[in-house]
Amino acid sequence: MQDSIAFTLAQLAEQLNARLQGEGGRVIHGLAALQDAGPEQLSFLANRQYRKLLADSQAGAVLLTEADAADYAGNALIVADPYLAYARISHQFDPRPKSRPGIHPSAVIADSARIDASASIGAGVVVEAHAVIGANVTLGAQCFVGERCHIGADSWLAPRVTLYHDVRMGARCVIQSGAVIGGEGFGFANSGGRWNKIAQIGGVLIGDDVEIGANTTIDRGALSDTVISNGVKLDNQIQIAHNVHIGEHTAMAACVGISGSTHIGRHCMIAGGVGMVGHIEVCDNVFVSGMTMVTRSITEPGAYSSGTAMQTAGEWKKSAARFRQLDALAKRVQQLEKQLPAVTQPPQGSSES
Amino acid sequence: MQDSIAFTLAQLAEQLNARLQGEGGRVIHGLAALQDAGPEQLSFLANRQYRKLLADSQAGAVLLTEADAADYAGNALIVADPYLAYARISHQFDPRPKSRPGIHPSAVIADSARIDASASIGAGVVVEAHAVIGANVTLGAQCFVGERCHIGADSWLAPRVTLYHDVRMGARCVIQSGAVIGGEGFGFANSGGRWNKIAQIGGVLIGDDVEIGANTTIDRGALSDTVISNGVKLDNQIQIAHNVHIGEHTAMAACVGISGSTHIGRHCMIAGGVGMVGHIEVCDNVFVSGMTMVTRSITEPGAYSSGTAMQTAGEWKKSAARFRQLDALAKRVQQLEKQLPAVTQPPQGSSES
Amino acid sequence: MQDSIAFTLAQLAEQLNARLQGEGGRVIHGLAALQDAGPEQLSFLANRQYRKLLADSQAGAVLLTEADAADYAGNALIVADPYLAYARISHQFDPRPKSRPGIHPSAVIADSARIDASASIGAGVVVEAHAVIGANVTLGAQCFVGERCHIGADSWLAPRVTLYHDVRMGARCVIQSGAVIGGEGFGFANSGGRWNKIAQIGGVLIGDDVEIGANTTIDRGALSDTVISNGVKLDNQIQIAHNVHIGEHTAMAACVGISGSTHIGRHCMIAGGVGMVGHIEVCDNVFVSGMTMVTRSITEPGAYSSGTAMQTAGEWKKSAARFRQLDALAKRVQQLEKQLPAVTQPPQGSSES
């Protein structure tokens, strides 16, 4: 998409601290998968199950492990972890427009806001009183940054991100469009069948290196802060309710919903569509599979699931009908188990009749 | 966050019509949970299971029932319902920026729009023709209000709320950022495998005291209005399809999806992640548990559920495999039940052999 | 809502190529359902199960099939497919504000963007460098169109749609508010427990006649494009991950989530709340029922489901408890089946004892 990006293999090898096999002068203009790459593109072999694609690849060069490179005749950049090397070099080929320091004339910035001179503030952005925008921060067009927010250095907000007041985030965060951070959590006291709103007076505290996906919502705390720790990665359309804590380096795929006051540990992986009830604790190193409903605390690392596997609708209807009778079925089996010994192990005296 | 908020206990007692136990002159600057509160903060005991935290609390004062206050030596505000009292007093301590009457110079307001002089219209707001904005309404920055919308007095829209044309809402509504109200419902007529769009010519009618969460979407009606009744509370990322009716004081937690033309009664509580098919009726006073799929009308008040409980992934795989064979299993039990009487109740004549 | 819309039945008959039965001069001001329609409104009978409503309808005229019109005494427009005719004529009665060509003075348009003179660019819109906006396109207020985006002729974007850079869409697309297209997909390489972001350097390619719902998110491809084919219809709050391909004329209801690199065929119907894992293939003409978790490729057309049917919470708790013991129950049945033959079919020699 941008023809101007160009590196020689020798340059890329240096950037990646890779061992070069082949033509150091080969010019690379982009990245592509093994089956799609042409002679001006770099590719990678991250999963050995795709090894068969290597022989036929037209790639100008391939990121390979020492082992895979051994019997590959083409150009290669040899690294310990090709997927990680691809991740690192990918940013060199990113067509994402570069931010330019400065404040667009259409932005509306409160007098008391402090904006670093190196920050880039897009068209239509609104920054409210006492907000602090760090060095090299990008606020994409139409972002809203509420009172007293802090945005750490090198953070990048896509267009149209909303931060309510009192949201503080660390350095190098990435927030995608449509994300809403600091919305008022769902807190009401019921009185005679009517719901009385509880002011949500806490904030949101976000660590360093956090990524938050498009249209994800993170509510502010009811009393103290909702907390998203360093290195957490949240995909699109995730809902994080008030008072939730998410531990360091935990990742969640899209459409997850976490209810209020639930605490999740470090290095967890939560697959898409998972729901968690409120006021539970999930320990470190837990994996939860897609669309699981987490209804209780998890105290042991490991993998967890709920739901049923897909069937044809016809077969599923039968399974689902039987599920509703499952307790009765179990009782019938119990009854059979009671009856059967009466036959197989005849009661005392029966042989005498 | 805002040190300037300060009330004496005597003032708070008067506001809440509470009985004061202890130091009327004690100055309170904020609210906190029992275990977090310091000597300048007010706390509350809403659930007697947390009663053990009361003795050790450092709170400057605690909202308590008469019974709980009896054996508490500290400062207390004695009320019938401490959680409700907390809800009411919480707004005094809300750091949410106060709205100022007036129209920001960057807002784009149609000539024919009628905006009350007491309303607060934020930066970058767009208000289209013939819209009517009531007294003391706040439109946060970057809101869009379509043609002929009506927003009732004292309603508060967070930044970046979108109302398509012909959305009418009552008084004291609260709409969080990213909510989209009046989008075109998903209506298509299939003809030869292609989808022909049906114009969505109804509107959205929203009552008084309705709360709508961040990034929640409420589609306009296909022919008549989608209806959200007085006192309804909708959390974040809820999807309400065209022609849905939601009865008074019903509350829905995050990530619920209601399909087209479904009618839900009053005082229902719909937990997070619930889905409802279209064209069904749910009566008053129904509770639906998290991630339940509601596939038919509900005609009796009570609690309803679907899904399966979480297991370790290893155990779950076994359960899920058996679920697929459930109909066969039930038939095998039936077969056993047929066979067993043949043994336990020997056929006529067998005793004669 | 707009009293000025008026057509005679004769005019509508001509537009629809329908046979007129009754008063050609009857003036029609709107559309309504059979039970709601008054003498100035047109209605339709699309489903014969509602035939009983026809006799009592006050509608000024009704769209009917030849068969249904035969014994109807009122005004009718006779067509082969009344629902399709309603879809087509509905746009004549749509109160959606008409777009006016031109660029609102508050819009921020890059010098290198090419905007057709017939396009309508709303207040607060931002269009970045090298974007191309086709003939008769509407960009609603506050839309963001990134660098190098192409928007085909006659497309209509509601207010506040976000297109990142390098999103290309065809003609006659409809995008609802809050949709985010081209967000950075969830791609990270794990290294020592930390997640390293992978730049998402592909784009999004959208065909002709595509509809995308409110707050739906479609991520850009990691290396090549995410692809949404001609005629695809996506409802609200759908999540489409990077590298997904959706085939022509497939429709998805709200709250569906499709994980990365999954390919879906043509003419599929995916009901609300469905989730699909990544890297699978779904063939043409597949129907997936609401909230199903699709965990494997589907190679045969047909209907597919997972989950369990709703029960009262009390009954459900019993079913769910038994589900967790399902493998054990199946083994107990197996045990019974082993034991029973020992009784019903006595082993060799037992009769001789």
Side-chain angles (χ1 to χ4, degrees):
Chain A
M1 299 166 179
Q2 286 180 312
D3 297 327
S4 53
I5 301 174
F7 298 94
T8 64
L9 272 188
Q11 289 173 317
L12 295 175
E14 195 184 332
Q15 287 179 38
L16 285 170
N17 203 19
R19 188 161 74 74
L20 171 67
Q21 170 178 297
E23 313 163 79
R26 163 77 63 158
V27 177
I28 297 296
H29 289 288
L31 299 176
L34 279 175
Q35 65 273 34
D36 299 330
E40 299 190 331
Q41 289 176 307
L42 175 68
S43 191
F44 59 96
L45 177 63
N47 185 329
R48 298 203 80 182
Q49 80 179 87
Y50 296 116
R51 204 139 179 275
K52 58 187 182 297
L53 298 172
L54 187 57
D56 295 333
S57 180
Q58 303 298 309
V62 184
L63 290 159
L64 293 173
T65 60
E66 195 76 53
D68 286 325
D71 47 354
Y72 179 63
N75 297 319
L77 296 175
I78 298 168
V79 292
D81 183 341
Y83 196 59
L84 182 60
Y86 153 56
R88 288 186 176 151
I89 208 70
S90 67
H91 300 276
Q92 299 283 17
F93 298 95
D94 192 350
R96 186 164 96 176
K98 300 287 176 290
S99 305
R100 280 170 301 224
I103 298 175
H104 193 278
S106 63
V108 176
I109 314 289
D111 291 343
S112 59
R114 278 167 33 211
I115 298 184
D116 192 277
S118 61
S120 173
I121 313 296
V125 166
V126 176
V127 179
E128 301 264 274
H130 306 293
V132 179
I133 313 294
N136 303 311
V137 166
T138 295
L139 300 184
Q142 303 166 333
C143 282
F144 175 85
V145 177
E147 290 194 8
R148 297 178 298 279
C149 285
H150 286 226
I151 302 181
D154 301 306
S155 289
W156 183 84
L157 277 65
R160 201 163 63 74
V161 167
T162 302
L163 310 185
Y164 283 56
H165 56 284
D166 298 300
V167 173
R168 287 163 294 153
M169 70 178 70
R172 297 174 303 279
C173 290
V174 172
I175 320 287
Q176 305 290 339
S177 293
V180 176
I181 305 177
E184 296 178 346
F186 202 62
F188 298 92
N190 197 300
S191 169
R194 281 151 197 261
W195 299 101
N196 296 269
K197 184 177 176 75
I198 298 169
Q200 302 292 301
I201 69 182
V204 180
L205 184 59
I206 297 171
D208 295 330
D209 302 299
V210 169
E211 175 135 356
I212 296 172
N215 284 349
T216 280
T217 52
I218 301 176
D219 283 340
R220 62 194 315 104
L223 289 168
S224 47
D225 288 344
T226 301
V227 177
I228 314 293
S229 303
N230 293 337
V232 167
K233 309 296 180 187
L234 303 180
D235 198 354
N236 297 350
Q237 298 200 39
I238 287 172
Q239 151 69 2
I240 306 292
H242 52 187
N243 314 323
V244 166
H245 284 226
I246 304 180
E248 294 191 348
H249 309 296
T250 281
M252 297 190 185
C255 305
V256 166
I258 309 295
S259 304
S261 302
T262 280
H263 286 218
I264 299 173
R266 302 184 307 154
H267 298 291
C268 293
M269 291 176 65
I270 314 297
V274 165
M276 293 196 191
V277 300
H279 297 271
I280 61 172
E281 307 254 347
V282 172
C283 67
D284 296 349
N285 297 303
V286 165
F287 171 76
V288 183
S289 69
M291 295 178 79
T292 290
M293 175 72 176
V294 181
T295 47
R296 56 178 171 81
S297 288
I298 297 177
T299 57
E300 294 293 323
Y304 296 83
S305 301
S306 76
T308 80
M310 187 183 69
Q311 301 177 267
T312 64
E315 287 168 0
W316 176 81
K317 270 180 197 146
K318 292 182 200 168
S319 296
R322 296 300 187 183
F323 179 84
R324 296 179 61 177
Q325 309 154 349
L326 204 46
D327 189 54
L329 184 71
K331 283 179 176 151
R332 284 160 58 194
V333 171
Q334 212 166 12
Q335 189 60 28
L336 284 166
E337 287 168 335
K338 271 189 199 155
Q339 286 176 291
L340 199 59
V343 189
T344 56
Q345 300 170 6
Q348 280 295 336
S350 72
S351 61
E352 297 169 299
S353 67
Chain B
M1 299 167 180
Q2 286 181 311
D3 297 327
S4 53
I5 301 174
F7 297 94
T8 64
L9 271 188
Q11 289 173 317
L12 295 175
E14 194 184 333
Q15 285 179 38
L16 285 169
N17 203 19
R19 188 161 74 75
L20 171 68
Q21 171 179 297
E23 314 163 79
R26 163 78 62 159
V27 177
I28 297 295
H29 290 287
L31 299 177
L34 277 175
Q35 65 273 35
D36 299 329
E40 299 190 330
Q41 290 175 306
L42 175 68
S43 192
F44 59 95
L45 177 63
N47 186 328
R48 297 203 81 182
Q49 80 179 86
Y50 296 114
R51 202 137 181 278
K52 59 186 181 296
L53 298 173
L54 187 56
D56 294 333
S57 179
Q58 302 297 311
V62 184
L63 290 160
L64 293 173
T65 59
E66 195 75 54
D68 286 325
D71 47 354
Y72 179 64
N75 297 319
L77 295 176
I78 298 167
V79 292
D81 182 341
Y83 195 60
L84 182 60
Y86 153 56
R88 289 187 175 149
I89 208 71
S90 66
H91 300 276
Q92 300 282 18
F93 297 94
D94 193 350
R96 186 165 94 176
K98 299 287 175 290
S99 305
R100 280 170 301 224
I103 299 175
H104 192 278
S106 64
V108 176
I109 313 290
D111 291 343
S112 59
R114 277 169 32 214
I115 298 183
D116 191 277
S118 61
S120 173
I121 312 297
V125 166
V126 176
V127 179
E128 300 264 274
H130 306 293
V132 179
I133 313 294
N136 303 312
V137 165
T138 295
L139 300 184
Q142 304 165 334
C143 282
F144 176 85
V145 177
E147 291 196 7
R148 296 179 299 279
C149 285
H150 285 225
I151 302 181
D154 302 306
S155 289
W156 183 84
L157 278 64
R160 201 164 64 74
V161 167
T162 302
L163 310 185
Y164 282 57
H165 57 283
D166 298 300
V167 172
R168 288 163 293 154
M169 71 178 69
R172 297 174 301 281
C173 290
V174 172
I175 319 288
Q176 305 290 340
S177 293
V180 176
I181 305 177
E184 296 178 345
F186 202 62
F188 299 92
N190 197 300
S191 168
R194 282 151 197 261
W195 300 100
N196 296 270
K197 185 177 176 75
I198 298 169
Q200 303 291 302
I201 68 182
V204 180
L205 184 59
I206 297 171
D208 296 330
D209 301 299
V210 169
E211 175 134 359
I212 295 172
N215 284 349
T216 281
T217 51
I218 302 177
D219 282 341
R220 61 194 314 105
L223 289 167
S224 49
D225 288 345
T226 301
V227 178
I228 314 293
S229 304
N230 293 336
V232 167
K233 309 296 181 186
L234 302 180
D235 198 352
N236 296 351
Q237 298 201 40
I238 287 172
Q239 151 69 3
I240 307 291
H242 53 188
N243 314 323
V244 166
H245 284 226
I246 303 180
E248 293 190 347
H249 309 296
T250 281
M252 297 190 187
C255 306
V256 167
I258 310 294
S259 303
S261 302
T262 279
H263 286 217
I264 299 173
R266 301 185 307 155
H267 298 290
C268 293
M269 291 177 65
I270 314 297
V274 165
M276 294 197 190
V277 300
H279 296 273
I280 60 172
E281 307 254 346
V282 173
C283 66
D284 296 349
N285 297 303
V286 164
F287 171 76
V288 183
S289 70
M291 294 179 78
T292 291
M293 174 71 177
V294 181
T295 48
R296 57 179 171 81
S297 288
I298 297 177
T299 56
E300 293 292 324
Y304 296 84
S305 301
S306 76
T308 81
M310 186 182 70
Q311 302 178 268
T312 64
E315 288 169 359
W316 175 81
K317 269 178 198 147
K318 292 183 202 169
S319 296
R322 296 300 186 182
F323 178 85
R324 295 179 61 178
Q325 309 155 348
L326 205 45
D327 190 54
L329 184 70
K331 284 179 175 151
R332 283 159 58 193
V333 171
Q334 211 166 12
Q335 188 60 29
L336 284 166
E337 288 168 334
K338 272 188 197 156
Q339 287 176 290
L340 199 58
V343 190
T344 54
Q345 299 170 6
Q348 279 296 339
S350 73
S351 62
E352 298 170 299
S353 67
Chain C
M1 299 169 181
Q2 287 179 312
D3 298 328
S4 54
I5 301 174
F7 298 94
T8 64
L9 271 188
Q11 288 173 319
L12 295 175
E14 195 184 331
Q15 286 180 37
L16 286 169
N17 202 19
R19 188 162 73 75
L20 171 68
Q21 170 179 297
E23 313 164 79
R26 163 76 64 157
V27 177
I28 297 296
H29 290 288
L31 299 176
L34 278 175
Q35 65 273 34
D36 298 330
E40 298 190 332
Q41 289 174 306
L42 175 68
S43 192
F44 58 95
L45 177 63
N47 185 330
R48 298 204 79 182
Q49 80 179 86
Y50 295 116
R51 203 139 180 276
K52 57 185 183 298
L53 298 173
L54 185 58
D56 294 334
S57 179
Q58 303 298 310
V62 184
L63 289 159
L64 293 173
T65 60
E66 194 76 53
D68 286 326
D71 47 354
Y72 179 63
N75 297 319
L77 296 175
I78 299 167
V79 292
D81 183 341
Y83 196 60
L84 182 61
Y86 152 56
R88 288 187 175 149
I89 208 70
S90 66
H91 299 276
Q92 299 283 17
F93 297 94
D94 192 350
R96 187 165 94 177
K98 298 289 174 290
S99 305
R100 279 169 301 223
I103 299 174
H104 192 277
S106 64
V108 176
I109 314 289
D111 290 344
S112 59
R114 277 167 34 212
I115 298 183
D116 192 277
S118 60
S120 173
I121 313 296
V125 166
V126 176
V127 179
E128 301 264 274
H130 307 294
V132 178
I133 312 294
N136 302 311
V137 165
T138 295
L139 300 184
Q142 304 166 332
C143 281
F144 175 85
V145 178
E147 290 195 8
R148 296 177 299 278
C149 286
H150 285 225
I151 303 181
D154 301 306
S155 290
W156 183 85
L157 278 64
R160 201 163 63 74
V161 167
T162 301
L163 310 186
Y164 282 58
H165 56 284
D166 299 301
V167 172
R168 288 163 294 154
M169 71 178 69
R172 297 174 304 279
C173 291
V174 172
I175 319 287
Q176 305 290 340
S177 293
V180 176
I181 305 177
E184 295 178 346
F186 202 61
F188 299 91
N190 197 301
S191 168
R194 281 151 198 261
W195 300 100
N196 296 270
K197 184 177 176 75
I198 298 168
Q200 303 291 302
I201 69 183
V204 180
L205 183 59
I206 297 171
D208 296 330
D209 301 299
V210 169
E211 175 134 358
I212 295 172
N215 284 350
T216 281
T217 50
I218 302 176
D219 282 341
R220 61 193 316 103
L223 289 168
S224 49
D225 288 344
T226 301
V227 177
I228 313 292
S229 303
N230 293 337
V232 166
K233 308 297 181 187
L234 302 180
D235 198 353
N236 297 350
Q237 298 201 39
I238 288 171
Q239 152 68 1
I240 306 292
H242 52 186
N243 314 323
V244 166
H245 284 226
I246 304 179
E248 294 191 346
H249 309 297
T250 281
M252 296 189 187
C255 305
V256 166
I258 310 294
S259 303
S261 302
T262 279
H263 287 218
I264 299 173
R266 301 184 307 155
H267 297 291
C268 293
M269 291 176 66
I270 314 297
V274 165
M276 294 197 191
V277 300
H279 297 273
I280 60 172
E281 306 254 347
V282 173
C283 67
D284 297 348
N285 297 302
V286 164
F287 171 76
V288 182
S289 70
M291 295 178 79
T292 291
M293 175 72 177
V294 180
T295 48
R296 56 178 171 82
S297 288
I298 298 177
T299 56
E300 293 292 324
Y304 296 84
S305 301
S306 75
T308 81
M310 186 183 70
Q311 301 178 268
T312 63
E315 287 169 0
W316 175 81
K317 270 179 197 149
K318 292 183 201 169
S319 296
R322 297 298 187 183
F323 179 84
R324 296 179 61 177
Q325 309 154 347
L326 204 45
D327 190 54
L329 183 70
K331 284 178 176 150
R332 284 160 58 194
V333 170
Q334 212 166 11
Q335 189 59 29
L336 285 166
E337 287 167 335
K338 271 188 199 154
Q339 288 176 289
L340 200 59
V343 189
T344 54
Q345 299 171 6
Q348 279 296 338
S350 72
S351 63
E352 298 170 298
S353 68

